[in-house]
């Protein structure tokens, strides 16, 4: 078990079974997380990032989605083979998640305190504190003002940023080994986003928690992550340390994503946007899925899907144009 | 074609045929009384005959004929009630939605009140004060319908108001009346149709209930609800008098409800939460 | 919350006044009440005397004023058939209706909630299909026919249950089933559809992320939210309940206000009918108000809006 790997995802396949056909939302991805590391999972909407997160938590919509293959090793144990009962013990305690939209993550008819209590330790936590004390501690940890008041308030009485902090403290309360953050700042006011990211980073550092940070914004990746995995149409096309990826992106899609982050000292008139659209999920091409939009496309790109190549220290890519290290 | 709700359509078609061709299909008159032929059971029961397929009632009237003509009454009531009640609701909905403001607020309050107050009470009151008759019945049932139409159509209109072709018409100087009539109205007809179909069951049950309570179509006109009521006293000996018309009501309402659901899913799925 | 209650109280009062006014005018304008009261062989002198006695010769607005004045004091006229104040007759029959309606409603809710919840959870499977079919049938079957058929089956053919009138517990069974059927059907469909919507919510996902037991997720997080539409639509159900009560009590000769209404219609007892309608309005409005308060309590977005 111990190669320091807290999370080891191997060849994960999750399919969506819709009326029109089968969508291979997650089509064979592998990645790993070490203790204390933040891995960014980047990609456009619909590339399968959220599906990956739900697959790890085993919270896929039962009627339409199913993980059909792969292993998800959390500290050595495969989550995919666990019974639902065992999985429930794992959720919240060893692996947890922050959802994207704070407006809908909290139940509107129960108080903050009520919803927070659900993850507190009945037996009094580490020092035998009462539930109230634990709750106040939890709120203070995420720097929520007037915590005593907040406990008695309802979600609609809190701002978006505050709600997301509550969601954060609920998710992290039992000190999970892995925290999945699914675009936690996308739905927040831009002015609040930075604050929240900093808070998240700080908490992650303090608890040495491993984090899977899902986002579509490479700028956020630069700020938050140690390593990054770039996802496109259900597959991870490039993985590597953040510094390495920014300096030497090996996949054209990665380059495009990096280029589309607006920089304040940029002289350009137009924002860079990647041309074209991601492939239709029901009709994935045989070859490289980025080929239709790739500025460097060649014949062999359309013919077959590229093998995975190592192009640098801990840096892999799936592209025919890449050169091995 | 395969997803058409065949059974409901068949039942509806049967009812329509019954109603339209009643004079031809019925061997006897629905109102002819005959003391000799009283209380004959349907043909499949001992004592029955093919002469009177569904038996006769306590006045010797042929049940089958009465069922056929009853279908007619039901359809007439349905048609007229939808026209009047639906029409009023449609108009109020369009005006309220388009004009907005205080008028809208007031009308919607009225609609809220209408929903929570059982229209049957007014229907009964009308029957007592205006006397039983088709007119009274239509007005009474219209009272039941208008609020639902008004509210739903208003919702549609609110959405339509935002659309470009309405703004365009206004820019061109069209009067509100003209806009409502020529631009808004055609676009809500889809919803109106679905709503009308979904409410047919309501009308039939309402008419039957009112007839049962003695506030519907006056005897001797055959109405299914009235037939159930008349047969009630003889349930022990002549069960078919109440059972058959009631069964017909249930089947027909079921058919219209299912058909209405199907129609709604095809034309206007947004109406689901009704 | 206080403001909410006051607002609703005002609306309630307005509604009652509105109903009373409409009833008043319907009675006076669409026919001469005298004709309904008098027997056919009444002389002109009788007619004139009655008109004067009832104050029908006074101008309309004066009549209305008198009517309103009396009504506020609880005097809603005298029943022709029963020869006693309408109010008295109404109040004497009201308990019987409450005795029938309350258990019907409670049983309806007790049946509908689990059926609705489990239908949503096991969507498309056996339970869902069966209860869905029963619900659709329940809505399509006319109340009165159901009652009569139940009497036919259980009373006439099988002799298990009495066919009407008030009495011991066995007298309650058939009327309660008749009255409750459409309630169960309606509630069940509503709870099912609102559960289905809620099951897809993010906060339900969040509850699962927390590792809560499925029991908690469904019965704590989902149900509370699923019941809210039932409360908001209560007014509509109430109206249906009143309609159902009239029909059911008539079928089972149950001595409540529903049957009273029927008698008023059959015997053309206009004062009685008028009084019953106004009192029904008051009753409905009060109950709806209580439910509204309950709704405001259950949904904190209203309470602390």
């Amino acid at each position: 078990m111990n190669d320091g790997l807290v999370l080891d995802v191997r060849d994960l396949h999750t399919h969506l079974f819709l009326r029109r056909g089968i969508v291979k939302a997650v089509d064979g991805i592998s990645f790993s997380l070490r203790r204390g590391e933040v891995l960014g999972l980047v990609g456009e909407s619909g590339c399968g990032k959220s599906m990956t997160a739900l697959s790890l938590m085993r919270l896929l919509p039962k009627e339409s989605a199913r993980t059909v293959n792969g292993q998800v090793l959390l500290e050595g144990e495969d989550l995919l083979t666990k019974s639902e009962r065992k999985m429930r013990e794992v959720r919240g305690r060893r692996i947890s998640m922050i959802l994207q939209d704070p407006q809908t993550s909290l139940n509107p008819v129960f108080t903050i305190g009520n919803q927070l209590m659900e993850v507190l330790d009945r037996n009094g936590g580490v020092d035998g504190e009462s539930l109230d004390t634990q709750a106040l501690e939890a709120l203070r940890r995420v720097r929520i003002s007037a915590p005593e008041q907040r406990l008695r308030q309802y979600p609609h009485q809190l701002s978006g940023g505050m709600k997301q902090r509550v969601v954060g403290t609920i998710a992290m309360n039992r000190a999970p080994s892995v925290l999945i953050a699914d675009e936690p700042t996308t739905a927040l006011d831009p002015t609040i986003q930075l604050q929240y990211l900093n808070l998240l980073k700080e908490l992650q550092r303090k608890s040495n928690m491993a984090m899977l940070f899902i986002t579509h914004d490479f700028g956020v990746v630069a700020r938050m992550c140690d390593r990054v995995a770039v996802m496109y149409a259900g597959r991870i096309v490039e993985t590597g340390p953040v510094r390495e990826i920014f300096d030497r992106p090996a996949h054209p899609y990665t380059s495009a994503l990096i280029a589309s982050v607006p920089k304040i000292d940029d002289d350009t008139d137009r924002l860079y946007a990647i041309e074209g659209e991601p492939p239709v999920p029901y009709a994935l091409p045989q070859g490289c899925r980025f080929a239709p939009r790739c500025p460097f496309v060649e014949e062999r790109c359309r013919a077959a899907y590229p093998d995975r190549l190592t192009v640098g220290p801990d840096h892999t890519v799936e592209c025919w144009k890449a050169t091995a290290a | 074609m395969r997803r058409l709700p065949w059974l409901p359509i068949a039942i509806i078609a049967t009812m329509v045929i019954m109603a339209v061709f009643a004079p031809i299909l019925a061997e006897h008159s629905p109102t002819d009384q005959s003391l000799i032929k009283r209380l004959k059971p349907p043909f499949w029961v001992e004592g029955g005959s093919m002469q009177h397929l569904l038996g006769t009632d306590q006045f010797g009237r042929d049940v089958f004929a009465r069922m056929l003509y009853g279908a007619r009454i039901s359809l007439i009531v349905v048609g007229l009630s939808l026209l009047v009640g639906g029409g009023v609701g449609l108009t109020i909905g369009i005006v309220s939605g388009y004009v907005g403001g205080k008028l809208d607020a007031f009308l919607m309050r009225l609609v809220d009140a209408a929903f929570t107050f059982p229209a049957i009470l007014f229907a009964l009151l009308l029957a007592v004060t205006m006397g039983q008759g088709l007119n009274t019945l239509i007005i009474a049932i219209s009272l039941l319908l208008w609020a639902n139409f008004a509210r739903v159509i208003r919702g549609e209109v609110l959405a339509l108001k935002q659309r470009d072709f309405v703004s365009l018409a206004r820019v061109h100087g069209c009067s509100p009346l003209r806009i409502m009539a020529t631009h808004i109205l055609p676009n809500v007809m889809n919803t109106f149709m679905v709503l009308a179909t979904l409410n047919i069951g309501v009308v039939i049950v309402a008419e039957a209930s009112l007839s049962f309570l003695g506030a519907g179509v006056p005897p001797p006109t055959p109405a299914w609800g009235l037939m159930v009521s008349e047969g009630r006293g003889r349930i022990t000996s002549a069960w078919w008098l109440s059972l058959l018309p009631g069964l017909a009501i249930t089947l027909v309402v079921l058919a219209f409800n299912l058909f209405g659901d199907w129609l709604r899913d095809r034309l206007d799925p947004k109406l689901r939460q009704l | 919350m206080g403001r909410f209650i006051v607002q609703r109280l005002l609306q309630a009062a307005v509604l009652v006044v509105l109903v009373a006014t409409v009833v008043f005018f319907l009675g006076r304008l669409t026919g001469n009440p005298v004709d309904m009261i008098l027997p056919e062989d009444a002389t002109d002198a009788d007619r004139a005397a009655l008109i004067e006695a009832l104050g029908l010769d006074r101008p309309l607005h004066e009549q209305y004023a008198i009517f309103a004045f009396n009504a506020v004091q609880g005097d809603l006229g005298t029943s022709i058939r029963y020869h006693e104040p309408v109010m008295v007759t109404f109040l004497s029959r009201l308990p019987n209706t409450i005795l029938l309606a309350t258990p019907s409603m409670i049983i309806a809710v007790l049946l509908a909630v689990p059926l609705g919840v489990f239908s949503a959870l096991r969507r498309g499977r056996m339970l869902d299909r069966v209860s869905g079919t029963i619900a659709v049938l329940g809505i399509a079957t006319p109340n009165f026919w159901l009652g009569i058929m139940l009497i036919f089956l259980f009373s006439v053919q099988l002799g298990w249950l009495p066919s009407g009138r008030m009495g011991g517990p066995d007298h309650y069974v058939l009327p309660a089933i008749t009255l409750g059927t459409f309630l169960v059907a309606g509630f069940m469909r509503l709870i099912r559809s609102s559960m289905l919507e809620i099951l897809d919510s993010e906060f339900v996902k969040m509850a699962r992320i927390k590792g809560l037991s499925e029991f908690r997720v469904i019965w704590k997080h989902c149900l509370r939210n699923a019941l809210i539409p039932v409360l908001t639509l209560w007014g509509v159900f109430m109206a249906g309940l009143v309609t159902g009560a009239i029909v059911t009590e008539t079928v089972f000769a149950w001595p409540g206000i529903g049957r009273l209404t029927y008698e008023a219609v059959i015997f053309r007892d206009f004062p009685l009918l008028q009084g019953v309608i106004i009192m029904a309005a008051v009753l409905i409005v009060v109950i709806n108000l209580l439910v509204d308060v309950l709704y405001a309590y259950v949904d904190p977005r209203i309470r602390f809006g």
Side-chain angles (χ1 to χ4, degrees):
Chain A
M1 163 185 107
N2 237 329
D3 3 338
L5 283 183
V6 160
L7 184 67
D8 192 5
V9 177
R10 296 181 187 168
D11 199 31
L12 185 66
H13 290 259
T14 296
H15 292 183
L16 286 173
F17 301 93
L18 304 173
R19 215 177 279 190
R20 270 194 272 160
I22 299 182
V23 174
K24 298 184 182 166
V26 180
D27 196 17
I29 64 171
S30 308
F31 61 88
S32 53
L33 261 185
R34 281 182 213 100
R35 195 167 297 282
E37 179 177 59
V38 179
L39 173 68
L41 188 58
V42 201
E44 288 167 290
S45 315
C47 69
K49 328 189 283 285
S50 290
M51 276 291 142
T52 305
L54 293 177
S55 304
L56 297 185
M57 297 287 297
R58 285 195 38 201
L59 285 178
L60 294 167
K62 263 180 289 188
E63 283 130 21
S64 47
R66 213 172 60 232
T67 299
V68 298
N69 198 17
Q71 286 178 302
V72 175
L73 301 170
L74 177 68
E75 288 166 328
E77 290 174 48
D78 189 358
L79 295 182
L80 295 180
T81 57
K82 283 190 184 283
S83 69
E84 180 58 28
R85 273 188 100 212
K86 290 275 173 202
M87 192 63 208
R88 238 174 268 151
E89 290 167 24
V90 172
R91 277 189 213 118
R93 286 187 181 77
R94 292 166 56 200
I95 181 169
S96 194
M97 189 164 159
I98 296 178
L99 297 171
Q100 182 175 323
D101 187 6
Q103 306 291 353
T104 53
S105 303
L106 294 169
N107 195 328
V109 300
F110 294 117
T111 59
I112 301 292
N114 189 319
Q115 298 186 56
L116 190 47
M117 301 284 180
E118 286 176 325
V119 295
L120 297 177
D121 193 341
R122 286 281 141 82
N123 304 316
V126 180
D127 303 311
E129 311 137 321
S130 70
L131 286 177
D132 275 335
T133 321
Q134 289 182 54
L136 291 173
E137 245 320 292
L139 289 182
R140 285 197 198 102
R141 235 177 277 143
V142 285
R143 311 233 187 78
I144 288 183
S145 56
E148 301 86 0
Q149 248 190 319
R150 304 288 175 215
L151 285 182
R152 284 185 309 244
Q153 284 183 324
Y154 289 90
H156 71 276
Q157 294 171 291
L158 271 65
S159 70
M162 243 186 274
K163 279 198 272 260
Q164 198 65 316
R165 285 169 199 251
V166 171
V167 171
T169 195
I170 287 179
M172 293 188 274
N173 190 273
R174 290 192 265 206
S177 313
V178 176
L179 176 69
I180 305 174
D182 189 357
E183 306 216 42
T185 53
T186 306
L188 295 178
D189 241 18
T191 47
I192 311 273
Q193 284 181 15
L194 191 55
Q195 248 177 40
Y196 192 82
L197 289 176
N198 286 339
L199 178 65
L200 215 53
K201 186 85 181 173
E202 187 190 311
L203 291 170
Q204 183 266 332
R205 278 269 147 73
K206 250 193 246 175
S207 57
N208 207 27
M209 191 172 52
M211 191 151 84
L212 179 65
F213 197 96
I214 300 177
T215 179
H216 61 270
D217 185 348
F218 239 101
V220 172
V221 169
R223 187 174 289 281
M224 293 291 294
C225 309
D226 303 316
R227 284 171 55 235
V228 62
V230 180
M231 201 163 168
Y232 189 78
R235 288 200 62 92
I236 292 183
V237 296
E238 186 166 3
T239 316
V242 163
R243 197 70 267 170
E244 170 79 11
I245 297 277
F246 266 96
D247 290 340
R248 277 173 292 278
H251 198 285
Y253 181 58
T254 313
S255 314
L257 280 180
I258 295 174
S260 56
V261 178
K263 295 180 226 4
I264 202 129
D265 51 352
D266 239 356
D267 234 346
T268 51
D269 297 317
R270 312 176 87 228
L271 286 176
Y272 178 87
I274 311 175
E275 295 219 349
E277 298 261 322
V280 176
Y282 307 98
L284 290 172
Q286 219 187 340
C288 171
R289 292 162 192 185
F290 190 61
R293 303 164 82 183
C294 185
F296 307 109
V297 65
E298 288 175 6
E299 234 351 273
R300 57 175 168 163
C301 300
R302 281 188 255 268
Y305 195 86
D307 299 324
R308 189 181 303 165
L309 210 57
T310 305
V311 293
D314 200 19
H315 184 175
T316 57
V317 70
E318 290 175 359
C319 177
W320 288 124
K321 303 282 300 195
T323 42
Chain B
M1 278 295 267
R2 25 158 197 128
R3 285 186 139 235
L4 274 177
W6 285 116
L7 193 53
I9 290 180
I11 295 178
I12 295 173
T14 310
M15 185 198 182
V16 172
I17 292 174
M18 278 169 73
V20 170
F21 295 106
I24 306 174
L25 291 169
E27 278 179 29
H28 309 265
S29 153
T31 48
D32 274 353
Q33 303 191 8
S34 162
L35 285 175
I36 316 170
K37 297 207 181 142
R38 300 170 70 228
L39 298 173
K40 290 223 175 294
F43 73 91
W44 63 86
V45 176
E46 230 195 273
S49 68
M50 292 301 281
Q51 266 258 313
H52 295 276
L53 277 176
L54 297 178
T56 61
D57 67 4
Q58 61 265 51
F59 298 112
R61 298 178 292 197
D62 180 40
V63 173
F64 184 56
R66 287 177 72 76
M67 296 271 292
L68 290 174
Y69 279 88
R72 234 185 213 200
I73 295 289
S74 291
L75 287 184
I76 292 175
V77 172
V78 164
L80 289 177
S81 307
L82 285 177
L83 212 60
V84 174
V88 168
L90 178 66
T91 313
I92 292 182
I94 291 181
V95 170
S96 187
Y98 189 76
V99 171
K102 292 235 173 89
L103 180 64
D104 181 32
F106 171 70
L107 284 174
M108 283 306 113
R109 279 282 165 78
L110 216 57
V111 167
D112 282 337
F115 265 114
T116 55
F117 196 76
I120 193 177
L121 292 177
F122 282 130
L124 293 175
L125 187 64
L126 279 175
V128 171
T129 57
M130 275 171 56
Q132 268 186 291
L134 193 60
N135 296 345
T136 323
L137 188 59
I138 302 295
I139 296 177
I141 298 184
S142 300
L143 280 176
L144 194 59
L145 292 177
W146 77 271
N148 195 4
F149 279 86
R151 179 181 279 179
V152 176
I153 299 285
R154 171 189 175 267
E156 284 286 295
V157 172
L158 286 179
L160 278 174
K161 246 200 318 191
Q162 318 286 11
R163 300 263 293 271
D164 286 340
F165 64 88
V166 173
S167 311
L168 201 60
R170 245 189 274 157
V171 162
H172 277 236
C174 290
S175 74
L177 194 62
R178 197 179 153 79
I179 295 181
M180 286 191 277
T182 55
H183 292 278
I184 305 278
L185 183 61
N187 282 292
V188 296
M189 281 321 272
N190 242 13
T191 308
F192 180 78
M193 283 297 150
V194 173
L195 217 50
T197 315
L198 285 173
N199 275 294
I200 292 180
V202 172
V203 173
I204 294 180
V205 172
E207 180 262 308
S209 303
L210 286 174
S211 297
F212 175 78
L213 293 172
V217 192
T221 321
W224 289 349
L226 192 57
M227 289 168 74
V228 175
S229 168
E230 285 173 348
R232 188 170 143 226
R234 296 177 184 277
I235 192 73
T236 351
S237 47
W239 49 266
W240 60 92
L241 295 179
S242 286
L243 185 127
L244 295 173
L247 191 61
I249 298 173
T250 308
L251 286 176
V252 160
V253 170
L254 196 59
F256 274 113
N257 283 353
L258 291 175
F259 181 70
D261 281 345
W262 173 83
L263 199 65
R264 176 204 61 207
D265 287 342
R266 287 293 303 282
L267 293 183
D268 204 349
K270 308 186 242 99
L271 290 177
R272 231 163 224 280
Q273 260 303 43
L274 287 177
Chain C
M1 177 79 154
R3 188 152 49 100
F4 179 77
I5 296 182
V6 169
Q7 205 186 38
R8 286 283 193 253
L9 259 171
L10 279 174
Q11 283 178 11
V14 168
L15 185 60
V16 175
V17 170
L18 194 63
V19 168
T21 311
V22 169
V23 169
F24 173 84
F25 280 106
L26 272 181
R28 302 301 181 279
L29 294 179
T30 59
N32 200 334
V34 188
D35 295 326
M36 289 177 278
I37 302 172
L38 290 172
E40 295 210 341
D41 53 344
T43 64
D44 279 344
D46 290 333
R47 224 167 164 267
L50 190 56
I51 288 182
E52 204 191 313
L54 291 177
L56 291 170
D57 50 346
R58 310 246 189 94
L60 206 59
H61 57 268
E62 233 187 271
Q63 286 189 47
Y64 184 67
I66 299 175
F67 165 74
F69 183 68
N70 286 338
V72 170
Q73 293 178 17
D75 175 12
L76 289 170
T78 311
S79 160
I80 299 167
R81 175 164 153 78
Y82 290 102
H83 307 294
E84 60 180 10
V86 168
M87 192 59 131
V88 170
T89 322
F90 183 87
L91 289 176
S92 70
R93 303 287 199 104
L94 182 60
N96 299 335
T97 300
I98 294 179
L99 278 175
L100 178 61
T102 313
S104 303
M105 245 166 35
I106 294 178
I107 296 178
V109 169
L110 286 178
L111 276 179
V113 168
L115 275 178
V117 170
F118 285 113
S119 293
L121 291 179
R122 290 171 175 53
R123 179 199 200 162
R125 305 233 287 266
M126 199 52 164
L127 177 68
D128 187 21
R129 285 177 193 271
V130 169
S131 50
T133 310
I134 295 181
V136 165
L137 274 173
I139 293 181
T141 313
N143 237 356
F144 58 91
W145 186 68
L146 180 64
I148 295 176
M149 288 300 118
L150 284 175
I151 291 177
F152 180 58
L153 183 59
F154 290 101
S155 196
V156 176
Q157 296 288 67
L158 294 172
W160 289 350
L161 294 165
S163 64
R165 308 209 176 280
M166 247 176 116
D170 52 345
H171 286 260
Y172 282 75
V173 177
L174 293 181
I177 295 178
T178 308
L179 189 57
T181 300
F182 101 93
L183 276 179
V184 173
F187 279 152
M188 197 214 87
R189 283 177 70 155
L190 191 57
I191 291 178
R192 177 185 180 274
S193 68
S194 89
M195 273 298 281
L196 283 177
E197 245 186 69
I198 289 169
L199 282 171
D200 279 340
S201 315
E202 291 295 281
F203 65 79
V204 169
K205 209 183 277 178
M206 181 85 188
R208 294 215 169 98
I209 289 175
K210 286 184 196 171
L212 296 177
S213 68
E214 196 63 10
F215 184 82
R216 256 237 153 122
V217 172
I218 302 296
W219 298 98
K220 178 183 175 185
H221 284 269
C222 289
L223 189 61
R224 190 93 176 254
N225 283 282
L227 289 179
I228 289 179
V230 174
L231 289 178
T232 49
L233 286 179
W234 168 256
V236 178
F237 280 114
M238 180 78 187
L241 188 62
V242 170
T243 312
I246 296 177
V247 170
T248 305
E249 288 186 12
T250 305
V251 169
F252 289 94
W254 189 271
I257 52 179
R259 188 174 164 89
L260 191 64
T261 313
Y262 173 67
E263 289 172 19
V265 171
I266 291 296
F267 295 109
R268 302 294 191 253
D269 188 346
F270 180 76
L272 183 61
L273 188 57
Q274 174 184 267
V276 168
I277 293 180
I278 294 175
M279 285 310 295
V282 171
L283 196 65
I284 289 172
V285 150
V286 166
I287 294 181
N288 281 348
L289 185 64
L290 290 175
V291 173
D292 272 343
V293 170
L294 183 63
Y295 165 58
Y297 179 75
V298 168
D299 188 346
R301 290 167 287 195
I302 306 293
R303 226 198 309 171
F304 302 111

